[in-house]
Amino acid sequence: QIVAELDALYRRGWRRSVFFVDDNLIGSRRDLRTGLLPALTAWRRDKRGVPFYTEASIDLARDEALMAAMVEAGFGVVFVGIETPEDAGLAECNKRQNRGRDLIADVRTIQRAGLQVQGGFIVGFDSDTPSVFRRMTEFIQASGIITAMVGMLNAPAATRLYERMRREGRLLGEMTGDNADGTTNIEPRMGLDALRAGYRSILRGLYAPGPYYRRVRAFLREFRPRHAHVVLDWRHLWALTYSSVRLGVFGRERFHFWGLLGWTLFRRPRLFPAAVTFAIYGHHFRRVCEALGA
């Protein structure tokens, strides 16, 4: 059924990415290996221009064969809920699979397999101290995770956290549903003002031009795409032209922009289109951060 739906989209001219909405695509690895991935691989043999995105847990890093099969099937990006580099915070959110392992090494393993890792992160756990903001920033920078969605801890309705916050008189209302909008519906143990200030410091430390472009290079050093060719079209030319003017001439990141493009041309020329794309992402991310007061 999935392949039939993809075929219908493709016949209608769809060439953009397809997101497989699943909290953890690798939850049933046997079905994935024997069913979905072979079917997608067969379907994509003459349709290389349709990339797939999905979500998976960090223990994907321990299965090299599965990562290779996902890349062959067309998956290029995987979202991983890392949450926090702090073990106490991982215990609070019951993220057992993330504990007791080198998370940065795991991220790099996935990147080397040909998958870009996008990460979800949370600050505001009861165990968090003011040092978490620096630790979070350093962790994300070292990991090479370009798209790092950092949010404050929220309590969704009908959860144990929600009920505990209500009992403790720390519930401030209902959550917005956007975990990256700089809001929370609980009173954090460190204090709301301290959490907001620390959250904004993370955004500045991640998406200011200097650290952002260094993180892009860190990713490009590790990334090992399995398919050598890139399907170029007018959109790539437009993106290069637009970014060269908007970012390379008028942008405050112009020196970082040209530095990244020059470095990529000499060091990782196959990834030049990706470098341009990430530069444009960075411009968008900075605008979002500025809207949040960072």
Side-chain angles (χ1 to χ4, degrees):
Q1 182 182 354
I2 291 174
V3 170
E5 291 175 359
L6 287 173
D7 242 349
L9 284 171
Y10 195 83
R11 286 196 300 270
R12 292 199 296 268
W14 185 269
R15 299 295 186 272
R16 300 179 184 176
S17 57
V18 175
F19 192 89
F20 283 74
V21 181
D22 191 313
D23 285 344
N24 188 7
L25 187 73
I26 65 171
S28 179
R29 301 192 189 200
R30 191 168 111 183
D31 291 342
L32 191 62
R33 293 180 201 274
T34 61
L36 181 61
L37 293 182
L40 291 178
T41 300
W43 180 81
R44 282 188 85 256
R45 284 200 178 105
D46 59 346
K47 305 177 183 69
R48 293 290 186 187
V50 183
F52 299 141
Y53 290 40
T54 192
E55 303 175 52
S57 52
I58 193 65
D59 48 347
L60 172 63
R62 294 181 175 175
D63 197 328
E64 292 184 9
L66 183 58
M67 288 188 289
M70 288 175 64
V71 171
E72 186 61 29
F75 287 93
V77 180
V78 59
F79 182 90
V80 177
I82 295 175
E83 319 309 355
T84 176
E86 303 291 342
D87 189 68
L90 293 173
E92 276 191 56
C93 64
N94 200 32
K95 202 78 174 184
R96 292 189 297 270
Q97 67 268 33
N98 288 26
R99 301 184 67 190
R101 56 194 304 157
D102 187 337
L103 294 171
I104 290 179
D106 286 338
V107 169
R108 289 175 179 166
T109 296
I110 298 173
Q111 292 167 341
R112 290 181 194 129
L115 292 163
Q116 181 198 157
V117 176
Q118 297 182 348
F121 299 88
I122 298 173
V123 289
F125 293 109
D126 282 354
S127 58
D128 280 348
T129 65
S131 66
V132 73
F133 306 116
R134 175 184 52 80
R135 287 257 299 141
M136 181 78 76
T137 304
E138 291 174 349
F139 175 92
I140 296 171
Q141 282 296 112
S143 71
I145 295 176
I146 295 171
T147 303
M149 295 177 60
V150 184
M152 298 184 194
L153 181 66
N154 275 268
T159 62
R160 285 182 293 178
L161 177 62
Y162 185 94
E163 293 304 318
R164 180 165 71 86
M165 293 295 102
R166 185 179 56 79
R167 289 195 307 270
E168 296 177 7
R170 297 167 58 191
L171 193 64
L172 303 178
E174 301 302 319
M175 60 181 289
T176 64
D178 183 350
N179 67 344
D181 65 355
T183 66
T184 179
N185 68 333
I186 67 174
E187 179 70 39
R189 188 154 285 174
M190 71 170 62
L192 195 54
D193 289 341
L195 178 59
R196 285 172 174 161
Y199 175 74
R200 288 192 293 268
S201 75
I202 292 176
L203 297 184
R204 287 192 299 270
L206 293 179
Y207 292 111
Y212 177 78
Y213 278 86
R214 285 194 294 272
R215 197 161 72 255
V216 171
R217 289 197 197 194
F219 168 72
L220 295 177
R221 287 189 189 99
E222 300 295 333
F223 188 47
R224 297 292 183 270
R226 291 298 183 264
H227 302 296
H229 71 280
V230 176
V231 180
L232 297 174
D233 57 25
W234 65 268
R235 288 172 296 184
H236 292 90
L237 180 60
W238 165 247
L240 177 59
T241 303
Y242 172 82
S243 61
S244 295
V245 175
R246 181 65 183 84
L247 307 181
V249 176
F250 296 106
R252 63 188 177 98
E253 67 268 49
R254 54 188 176 274
F255 297 113
H256 300 287
F257 173 81
W258 293 118
L260 173 66
L261 265 55
W263 179 90
T264 307
L265 276 173
F266 282 101
R267 301 289 294 275
R268 305 303 308 280
R270 282 194 338 178
L271 300 180
F272 186 79
V276 175
T277 299
F278 294 139
I280 296 171
Y281 283 4
H283 175 68
H284 167 73
F285 292 148
R286 281 189 291 282
R287 292 181 64 182
V288 171
C289 293
E290 288 167 3
L292 294 173

